[in-house]
Amino acid sequence: MKLSELKTGDRAEVTAVTAEPAVRRRLMDLGLVRGTELEVLRFAPLGDPIEISCKGLLLTLRRNEAEGITVNQLEAAESRPVAWHGLRKRHRFGKRA
């Protein structure tokens, strides 16, 4: 299954990143490597881009980038809570705004 096929709130584990070399390298630098768990947070109104949460980061990916990421969807019982879910607040100079 591809990351772009998931729905909002779905959790998955990355199994492979297959994209053109420059995009693949960028995605892997962002932490999207095999075994990484992620959660789809939301889609833009037209379905592109996609916002995900992984390793405490909030990432926004284009749909064509998400199509290059193969995932294994996790069941609700397998999923662990995301530390950042619901804590989206801006930090400015080390203080919460």
Side-chain angles (χ1 to χ4, degrees):
M1 168 178 263
K2 296 181 179 183
L3 174 60
S4 60
E5 298 170 355
L6 295 176
K7 299 189 179 350
T8 302
D10 287 347
R11 295 185 50 81
E13 180 181 59
V14 175
T15 56
V17 179
T18 55
E20 66 182 64
V23 174
R24 182 175 185 264
R25 179 67 190 177
R26 179 178 163 263
L27 294 173
M28 293 178 75
D29 287 345
L30 290 172
L32 293 172
V33 295
R34 188 170 22 158
T36 301
E37 290 186 22
L38 56 90
E39 179 179 3
V40 177
L41 297 179
R42 66 187 66 124
F43 290 87
L46 297 177
D48 187 25
I50 301 168
E51 184 174 22
I52 64 170
S53 172
C54 73
K55 296 183 177 179
L57 299 173
L58 300 175
L59 301 175
T60 303
L61 304 173
R62 293 272 179 206
R63 179 169 287 279
N64 62 355
E65 294 170 341
E67 289 175 353
I69 301 171
T70 307
V71 296
N72 183 20
Q73 188 171 0
L74 299 176
E75 299 295 327
E78 293 180 49
S79 64
R80 289 179 279 168
V82 176
W84 283 79
H85 189 69
L87 296 175
R88 187 177 173 139
K89 295 183 179 181
R90 293 182 182 248
H91 292 268
R92 181 168 242 171
F93 306 113
K95 297 179 182 176
R96 288 190 175 200

